[in-house]
Amino acid sequence: AQSVTQPDIHITVSEGASLELRCNYSYGATPYLFWYVQSPGQGLQLLLKYFSGDTLVQGIKGFEAEFKRSQSSFNLRKPSVHWSDAAEYFCAVNYGQNFVFGPGTRLSVLP
Amino acid sequence: DVKVTQSSRYLVKRTGEKVFLECVQDMDHENMFWYRQDPGLGLRLIYFSYDVKMKEKGDIPEGYSVSREKKERFSLILESASTNQTSMYLCASSRLEAFFGQGTRLTVV
């Protein structure tokens, strides 16, 4: 069965530090890949997506992600974190018509 | 700007009540989804629909039903609300990527 893992439940970084959130997926073919962000009490907002082509994709709010087929990974990065980035982040895979979401990584940002 | 709108942000209902959660999208998407989100359990798929009048069970359909009479509207129905259905409910629609509504926080007392 398809699955998405996010090994880190909670990450804390200082404002201005770099960030990498990990995501691995299990799927036979190359799926469509996504990162979403959720602020408390809100729905999920799409940060970026990968369908094909260049394996480094740029998203909103200064985020980027790199698809590595050999590692079945799609890690999210940001060079310098802002306090407003504190939220929960979900990696997701689209297979066919449906989606599988990872369990989420909660990001805390220290001033 | 794409939009998925859920009819309520917060709802409080009594045990045994029939509850309707409404979701409308303006993107002409075929696919629509209902998830519930609980701490430590992530997003769990309740039902999805890939066309008008079509529906498919997700991972946790028990205690829920859905209705899709028009392409833009996907309703989630709790036939007889119970306290264990207290949760955050998220609606989404998609073609390739999913767009989410703002969520409905349902409390069953």
Side-chain angles (χ1 to χ4, degrees):
Chain A
Q2 295 83 358
S3 67
V4 177
T5 56
Q6 294 179 245
D8 303 304
I9 297 172
H10 184 204
I11 284 182
T12 300
V13 300
S14 297
E15 191 168 18
S18 64
L19 172 70
E20 182 169 34
L21 301 183
R22 295 180 289 165
C23 171
N24 292 92
Y25 65 90
S26 168
Y27 186 58
T30 299
Y32 297 153
L33 297 159
F34 309 89
W35 275 98
Y36 289 86
V37 61
Q38 185 182 33
S39 298
Q42 301 294 318
L44 276 68
Q45 181 185 17
L46 181 67
L47 277 177
L48 46 75
K49 60 194 177 190
Y50 173 79
F51 293 157
S52 66
D54 192 347
T55 56
L56 185 63
V57 294
Q58 303 296 321
I60 63 171
K61 304 180 189 236
F63 285 93
E64 66 178 26
E66 185 171 13
F67 168 59
K68 292 186 177 179
R69 186 191 308 274
S70 61
Q71 298 175 20
S72 297
S73 69
F74 189 55
N75 294 348
L76 182 71
R77 301 194 293 249
K78 187 168 184 179
S80 177
V81 169
H82 188 262
W83 63 266
S84 60
D85 293 325
E88 187 138 25
Y89 292 81
F90 293 90
C91 181
V93 164
N94 176 303
Y95 61 98
Q97 293 169 310
N98 217 331
F99 293 83
V100 175
F101 287 85
T105 297
R106 184 160 63 92
L107 174 66
S108 297
V109 180
L110 298 175
Chain B
D1 204 13
V2 298
K3 205 152 190 179
V4 178
T5 303
Q6 294 182 227
S7 51
S8 303
R9 290 295 305 276
Y10 301 95
L11 274 180
V12 180
K13 297 292 182 180
R14 295 194 180 276
T15 302
E17 275 193 80
K18 191 169 186 176
V19 181
F20 293 86
L21 303 183
E22 307 285 347
C23 176
V24 177
Q25 51 101 357
D26 65 359
M27 294 164 282
D28 200 37
H29 286 163
E30 288 79 20
N31 304 323
M32 295 189 75
F33 309 83
W34 276 106
Y35 296 89
R36 66 176 281 177
Q37 185 179 25
D38 301 285
L41 297 177
L43 276 74
R44 292 183 290 168
L45 181 64
I46 305 171
Y47 269 96
F48 67 99
S49 167
Y50 52 85
D51 202 351
V52 176
K53 298 192 186 293
M54 305 299 287
K55 60 185 179 184
E56 295 285 340
K57 292 180 180 179
D59 301 317
I60 52 162
E62 297 78 19
Y64 303 94
S65 63
V66 290
S67 171
R68 190 148 182 220
E69 296 296 318
K70 294 185 178 182
K71 192 175 187 180
E72 67 271 18
R73 187 179 298 269
F74 191 36
S75 302
L76 180 69
I77 304 154
L78 286 67
E79 297 291 342
S80 177
S82 64
T83 55
N84 63 13
Q85 292 178 309
T86 291
S87 186
M88 172 72 118
Y89 290 87
L90 294 168
C91 174
S93 73
S94 80
R95 188 162 289 127
L96 292 178
E97 63 259 53
F99 294 92
F100 283 82
Q102 74 278 29
T104 297
R105 172 75 63 186
L106 173 66
T107 302
V108 182
V109 297

